[in-house]
Amino acid sequence: MRNYTPLVTLLLIYAVMIAIGQGIQGMWQPIMLVIFYIAVGQALNIFLGMTGYVNFGYVALLGVGAYGMAVALGYYTDLGLIPALTLGFILAILLAFIVSMVVGGIALRLRGAYFAIATIGVNEGIKYLILGGKIWGGSSGIVLSGILRKAYGAETMRFLSTVFADAGLIVVAILSGIITMYILNSRLGYGLIALREDEDAAKVMGINVRRYKQIAFVISCILAGLIGATAWTLKLTYVFPQDVFAINYTVEAIVIVMLGGAGTLLGPVVGGLIYALLKYYLTIAFPGMQLLILAPLLIIVILLFPEGVVGYLAKAARGTRFEKFVR
Amino acid sequence: MAFVEQLISNLLYGAILGSVYGLATMGLSLIFGVLRIVNVGHGAFIMVGAFIAYWMFILYGIPPLISLFLAIAVGMAIGLAIYMLVVKRLVDAPELASLLAMFAIGIFIEEFAKQIWGADYVGYSWEIGGVSMLFTEVPFTKLLAFASSIVIAAVVYVWFRKTKIGKAVRAVVEDREGATTCGIDVNRIYALSFSLGIGLTVLSGVLVTLFTPVGINVYMGGEYTLKAFVIAVLGGLASPWGAFYAGFIFGLIENGSYTLLGLIPGVEPFGLTRFLSSVVLMLVLLVKPTGLLGGE
Amino acid sequence: MLLKLEEVTKRFGGLVAVNSVSLEIDEGEKVGIVGPNGSGKTTLYNVISGVYAPDGGRIFFEGKEITNLPAHERTKLGIARTFQVPRPFGSATVRENVAIGAMFGRANAGVDEALEMADRYLEMVGIYELREKEAKLLTPLEKKLMELARALAMKPKLLLLDELLAGMNPQDINRILDLINKVKEEENIATIAMVEHLMHAITKFAERVVVMHQGSKLIEGPTMEVLNHPKVVEVYLGEKLKIG
Ligand SMILES: Nc1ncnc2c1ncn2[C@@H]1O[C@H](COP(=O)(O)OP(=O)(O)OP(=O)(O)O)[C@@H](O)[C@H]1O
Ligand SMILES: [Mg+2]
């Protein structure tokens, strides 16, 4: 029957992380890095994990979300803090929605590898539209710190870029988990699993595969947009096209999903934890070499553990009393 | 009339560059045609070729045309190694697996290259004069690149049509199972095709350097990955010849639109051209996923 | 009339897999479809269920034209099928596979209801104890039974079975034939069509038989009459000679 108990495991992990971050000196920064990567994995998982389609343009959605927030705070500062923030979230969602409807509407007509090829240009395309069209400041980006300090005061700005940004990201991360759990237990989830395994058979079983893929894609993209708005714009108080369209985030998200277990609830959490901690300490130990280490890691995972850590654990737990808690 | 002259000389340049684009895409199409594997790490191999040309020239003064031979040998060796270590196990795996693996391999090569060569832009210039044609001075180096591309593509073509092994490769493209029953060792054909596909790609990287005097950098491949996919898709994705012709067309479109976009005030034509590439990629896939040129 | 095909044609390149076939199937019928290998039986099913759009002709279901309806909408109207080569959703459990049929077929069940239905149909086809297994781990025979359960869970009006019995032993064949006859009444499935090479299964099940040959409908009529028809004997003899 429907099983929401894995959410207990999920919330427990967040509780422990937040407790460690708040309780132990110097741990808040690495914990927030972990949560960022969990969120990034969680949002991608809703599409890649559940449909088996690869979206190489993933980071572009974080990028447009970041721009949505930056445009609201930077260009509509006069509305006042709360309205501008609200507008920021709305714009982040709206931009992500529009991009995902357009990209999905076109590219999701294509199957498997053809879809992936079509998305190769999305990130570059949007980046160069902003750069080439000199939109939203073009290559100079949008720098908010001065504007925010002047309009709302230094204290408020600090609150925004620390407490509010972090809390916002945590909410988005947990929300992604809850949505994932809901999808896994719903008709949508069953439909997605079916189409991931055999798209033609799924059609014959009565599943409107185009629509289901599109729904998963849009949800995944909107969550990505919200991550961009909180973890980047609010936290860093600036947006540059070169930063927010950096392809390494797409790679990292894919690694996290595959490492943890595609299509599972806890996969991105475990994948994000392992990855972010690895990255945090590798960056200290081997600066500038994360991708060099990650790429072979991804290959090894694909070759040897295609189900990822949680996929493996879920199988091992089958028939034991832990079964209910792992998914 | 300055604009028309500029357009014509840009189109000429586009056709010359297009031949190199075409060559740079043949490997991608060959690998997809034979193994049904999408090499999303394509650009990284072009970068390797570019560095081979650079170092051969800088260290030993060897001109790029000679480096072509080294490049194809190195490329084929790299391709064979990747096939043996990774790709072999993924030929029959779900698409997701091979897509991600090729993606990771591309990134690994770039990052590995960064460790040895650093992240700076480098370049060399090989000056051997030029000739004046159609309102513009065309350097001999570019004409040589043009000629080499055509010769190499022709050699590959003849090899496919006339040799026994080339025919076997074509048989596998057309009908995997049928080829197996005819006694063709499909695994060897895979290994050979993958290796040759990577070899051609690395080789094309050498010629690319003749067009980017200071543009050699470990991350230069990304741009070519995108272009190669636009071209491959135009040419039907699975057909090396389709890809070669489509390269010309792409070169013309790219340079033509670059000139035209330059007319719009307040925009940066170079960036917008890249934006248009991605739009074209998506639209062509949408309208005719088997390629505008029909493929083979 | 439940299903009506009007001069339906399906080509693959130069090959005409289904050649201008007209066919009517009434509510309540049990139809057998036979024909040598490659005669177009599976392709006919694919065209009916919407896997392929026909290159010519029209298809009607309950009087409504469905020629251009996508596969998933036809399913909702009450068409269900099994695949000659089973196509399980490999990483899902057997139970989930069948539940997917119940959710998205004509039954249109909610998740909880669908999972309960899955249990019932798995019990019915006799593989209840395998319900928590990953579908890809089943034996070919078990996969076929799972496909039957999945199709039944969709609560179809028209059930298309494609060589369901091939590869089963005689006891299983009899058990499944009895089961199919039974569920037709109990589950109110209006019509079942069965593609099969096993003539004794066809004679035991079908009231009417359609014979396909090289993409065309060769002949149709009451089972015994058709199977003993000289044309049919000739077609099958030809086939045997080819194989031998
Ligand atoms: N997707 C396809 N592409 C190309 N040809 C096809 C395709 N599907 C079927 N065919 C061809 O169409 C013809 C009819 O095939 P079909 O599978 O319908 O026959 P069948 O009567 O079901 O045979 P069998 O008894 O062997 O299952 C065959 O020649 C087959 O090779
Ligand atoms: Mg058949």
Side-chain angles (χ1 to χ4, degrees):
Chain A
M1 298 300 101
R2 293 184 198 221
N3 175 17
Y4 290 97
T5 11
L7 270 186
V8 175
T9 319
L10 181 83
L11 293 176
L12 209 65
I13 295 175
Y14 278 110
V16 171
M17 283 193 300
I18 292 170
I20 291 175
Q22 291 290 332
I24 302 173
Q25 189 71 38
M27 279 311 279
W28 187 244
Q29 198 197 341
I31 288 290
M32 280 316 294
L33 186 77
V34 170
I35 293 180
F36 170 72
Y37 279 114
I38 291 178
V40 165
Q42 205 78 269
L44 179 67
N45 184 41
I46 291 176
F47 182 68
L48 181 140
M50 294 198 192
T51 65
Y53 275 62
V54 186
N55 173 10
F56 284 121
Y58 180 61
V59 67
L61 278 303
L62 278 92
V64 297
Y67 265 102
M69 181 57 84
V71 165
L73 291 180
Y75 298 175
Y76 299 94
T77 330
D78 297 344
L79 292 177
L81 179 60
I82 306 286
L85 265 180
T86 315
L87 180 67
F89 284 111
I90 293 173
L91 280 184
I93 292 174
L94 196 67
L95 284 175
F97 178 75
I98 293 170
V99 171
S100 61
M101 284 305 281
V102 172
V103 172
I106 297 174
L108 282 173
R109 289 163 192 270
L110 303 162
R111 282 286 188 88
Y114 288 88
F115 173 84
I117 293 172
T119 61
I120 284 178
V122 170
N123 186 44
E124 289 252 303
I126 297 179
K127 175 167 130 187
Y128 281 102
L129 179 63
I130 291 174
L131 286 173
K134 304 207 170 139
I135 299 166
W136 295 327
S139 59
S140 351
I142 301 177
V143 181
L144 292 170
S145 46
I147 301 172
L148 293 182
R149 195 176 301 115
K150 217 168 96 197
Y152 311 127
E155 200 51 42
T156 312
M157 194 195 96
R158 196 167 321 117
F159 174 79
L160 267 187
S161 74
T162 53
V163 181
F164 188 77
D166 287 348
L169 179 61
I170 293 173
V171 169
V172 175
I174 293 179
L175 183 69
S176 306
I178 293 173
I179 290 176
T180 306
M181 187 81 269
Y182 173 76
I183 293 176
L184 283 172
N185 276 305
S186 70
R187 283 165 59 105
L188 174 60
Y190 283 89
L192 292 174
I193 290 171
L195 85 85
R196 181 182 72 198
E197 298 294 318
D198 186 337
E199 197 162 330
D200 282 320
K203 270 188 202 163
V204 173
M205 291 305 133
I207 297 162
N208 187 345
V209 293
R210 270 285 309 285
R211 186 152 157 258
Y212 275 42
K213 284 186 286 189
Q214 181 83 40
I215 294 173
F217 188 61
V218 170
I219 295 175
S220 165
C221 290
I222 287 180
L223 288 170
L226 287 172
I227 296 169
T230 50
W232 286 349
T233 307
L234 286 176
K235 179 130 189 164
L236 305 174
T237 68
Y238 58 78
V239 175
F240 293 116
Q242 292 85 340
D243 294 348
V244 298
F245 295 109
I247 185 145
N248 62 302
Y249 292 103
T250 301
V251 191
E252 293 178 312
I254 295 174
V255 171
I256 289 164
V257 171
M258 296 305 290
L259 182 65
T264 63
L265 168 72
L266 299 173
V269 179
V270 173
L273 258 168
I274 299 175
Y275 174 72
L277 292 177
L278 213 61
K279 173 170 174 166
Y280 189 75
Y281 292 106
L282 281 180
T283 313
I284 296 170
F286 310 97
M289 291 179 57
Q290 311 93 302
L291 282 176
L292 183 67
I293 297 164
L294 275 176
L297 181 68
L298 177 57
I299 297 171
I300 290 167
V301 170
I302 292 163
L303 287 180
L304 303 180
F305 313 101
E307 292 175 21
V309 177
V310 174
Y312 177 80
L313 286 180
K315 256 193 200 166
R318 212 167 260 169
T320 72
R321 67 203 149 93
F322 300 108
E323 178 175 4
K324 276 206 329 238
F325 296 94
V326 190
R327 169 110 197 228
Chain B
M1 280 332 270
F3 169 71
V4 175
E5 287 175 16
Q6 195 197 347
L7 183 64
I8 290 176
S9 61
N10 271 2
L11 286 179
L12 174 68
Y13 181 71
I16 293 174
L17 182 57
S19 69
V20 177
Y21 282 161
L23 185 69
T25 311
M26 286 176 80
L28 183 73
S29 296
L30 177 65
I31 291 172
F32 184 77
V34 178
L35 293 96
R36 294 283 139 184
I37 280 183
V38 183
N39 180 10
V40 279
H42 185 72
F45 299 98
I46 292 182
M47 175 272 292
V48 171
F51 270 99
I52 290 176
Y54 171 73
W55 285 115
M56 284 293 122
F57 191 84
I58 294 294
L59 293 180
Y60 309 110
I62 293 175
L65 286 194
I66 310 293
S67 301
L68 287 175
F69 296 95
L70 178 65
I72 192 156
V74 171
M76 287 187 71
I78 296 176
L80 191 63
I82 294 174
Y83 180 80
M84 289 303 182
L85 287 173
V86 182
V87 174
K88 199 175 164 180
R89 296 158 218 250
L90 293 175
V91 172
D92 294 317
E95 234 160 37
L96 178 71
S98 60
L99 271 175
L100 296 181
M102 292 315 298
F103 189 50
I105 287 170
I107 287 168
F108 178 75
I109 291 175
E110 284 175 358
E111 294 303 315
F112 191 75
K114 193 176 88 180
Q115 297 304 317
I116 14 183
W117 296 322
D120 295 333
Y121 277 90
V122 295
Y124 67 97
S125 80
W126 182 41
E127 306 267 359
I128 49 171
V131 58
S132 172
M133 50 203 285
L134 292 174
F135 317 112
T136 183
E137 167 99 0
V138 183
F140 280 129
T141 55
K142 294 197 165 72
L143 286 179
L144 278 174
F146 180 71
S148 326
S149 297
I150 291 177
V151 169
I152 294 163
V155 168
V156 176
Y157 184 82
V158 170
W159 180 80
F160 260 89
R161 300 280 146 170
K162 301 288 177 223
T163 66
K164 206 173 147 204
I165 187 120
K167 286 179 186 164
V169 172
R170 276 170 55 217
V172 173
V173 174
E174 259 140 51
D175 180 1
R176 238 189 240 192
E177 265 117 66
T180 320
T181 35
C182 295
I184 293 173
D185 181 352
V186 175
N187 243 318
R188 262 189 56 208
I189 299 295
Y190 284 169
L192 176 73
S193 307
F194 193 84
S195 158
L196 183 63
I198 299 294
L200 281 172
T201 308
V202 171
L203 172 141
S204 71
V206 172
L207 296 180
V208 162
T209 59
L210 297 176
F211 295 84
T212 51
V214 285
I216 303 171
N217 164 273
V218 292
Y219 297 124
M220 68 187 275
E223 182 189 337
Y224 292 97
T225 304
L226 177 57
K227 284 180 186 170
F229 274 104
V230 180
I231 294 165
V233 164
L234 279 171
L237 204 53
S239 154
W241 323 119
F244 190 70
Y245 299 134
F248 274 101
I249 297 181
F250 184 81
L252 290 173
I253 296 176
E254 185 187 53
N255 284 275
S257 68
Y258 182 82
T259 321
L260 294 176
L261 288 170
L263 294 177
I264 307 173
V267 301
E268 203 272 289
F270 172 70
L272 277 190
T273 308
R274 291 177 81 166
F275 165 68
L276 285 181
S277 302
S278 24
V279 174
V280 169
L281 173 62
M282 213 178 261
L283 291 183
V284 173
L285 276 170
L286 179 66
V287 177
K288 198 152 179 285
T290 49
L292 286 188
L293 300 179
E296 241 179 276
Chain C
M1 197 172 313
L2 191 66
L3 180 76
K4 184 173 163 198
L5 308 187
E6 271 180 17
E7 302 187 353
V8 168
T9 297
K10 174 69 203 169
R11 296 189 195 91
F12 295 110
L15 179 93
V16 189
V18 171
N19 190 359
S20 190
V21 170
S22 295
L23 187 67
E24 292 180 4
I25 297 180
D26 278 326
E27 201 131 325
E29 275 201 281
K30 292 197 232 171
V31 184
I33 299 173
V34 302
N37 290 106
S39 56
K41 305 177 298 290
T42 299
T43 306
L44 194 67
Y45 271 13
N46 282 334
V47 173
I48 296 171
S49 59
V51 175
Y52 302 132
D55 297 308
R58 291 153 56 125
I59 310 169
F60 298 86
F61 188 72
E62 294 188 307
K64 184 180 166 235
E65 175 155 12
I66 60 166
T67 319
N68 296 314
L69 216 57
H72 62 91
E73 287 181 36
R74 298 186 194 196
T75 308
K76 292 280 190 291
L77 295 178
I79 299 177
R81 68 175 288 184
T82 65
F83 292 97
Q84 182 173 353
V85 180
R87 297 178 76 163
F89 301 123
S91 75
T93 65
V94 172
R95 186 173 184 230
E96 287 166 343
N97 265 272
V98 179
I100 286 168
M103 272 179 238
F104 299 100
R106 191 174 73 94
N108 207 19
V111 173
D112 294 322
E113 191 193 351
L115 287 166
E116 275 165 31
M117 283 169 70
D119 286 347
R120 191 152 59 78
Y121 287 102
L122 285 169
E123 181 100 67
M124 196 181 284
V125 303
I127 52 168
Y128 180 75
E129 68 289 350
L130 300 173
R131 68 193 183 288
E132 293 296 350
K133 224 175 169 172
E134 265 184 294
K136 64 174 167 233
L137 301 176
L138 299 184
T139 65
L141 176 65
E142 290 164 349
K143 281 182 188 160
K144 289 199 156 191
L145 293 173
M146 188 195 79
E147 286 225 337
L148 178 62
R150 189 167 68 180
L152 291 175
M154 297 164 88
K155 294 214 165 285
K157 292 179 187 160
L158 173 64
L159 175 58
L160 307 169
L161 303 172
D162 196 352
E163 301 200 22
L164 181 69
L165 305 174
M168 291 192 188
N169 65 35
Q171 287 101 303
D172 281 327
I173 290 177
N174 282 326
R175 180 170 70 86
I176 298 301
L177 277 176
D178 290 342
L179 172 70
I180 293 170
N181 279 317
K182 201 175 80 177
V183 292
K184 183 166 182 313
E185 301 311 316
E186 286 176 1
E187 300 282 326
N188 274 320
I189 301 172
T191 300
I192 299 180
M194 176 187 276
V195 164
E196 210 58 71
H197 285 296
L198 306 162
M199 287 308 152
H200 65 276
I202 290 286
T203 47
K204 190 167 169 192
F205 167 81
E207 296 151 350
R208 187 159 74 91
V209 167
V210 178
V211 184
M212 295 285 295
H213 180 53
Q214 295 180 349
S216 303
K217 186 174 78 177
L218 185 70
I219 185 173
E220 66 178 313
T223 306
M224 289 325 285
E225 217 172 280
V226 164
L227 292 185
N228 293 316
H229 195 283
K231 264 189 184 167
V232 177
V233 175
E234 188 189 327
V235 164
Y236 270 87
L237 226 55
E239 152 112 322
K240 288 223 178 72
L241 285 176
K242 253 192 294 178
I243 293 169

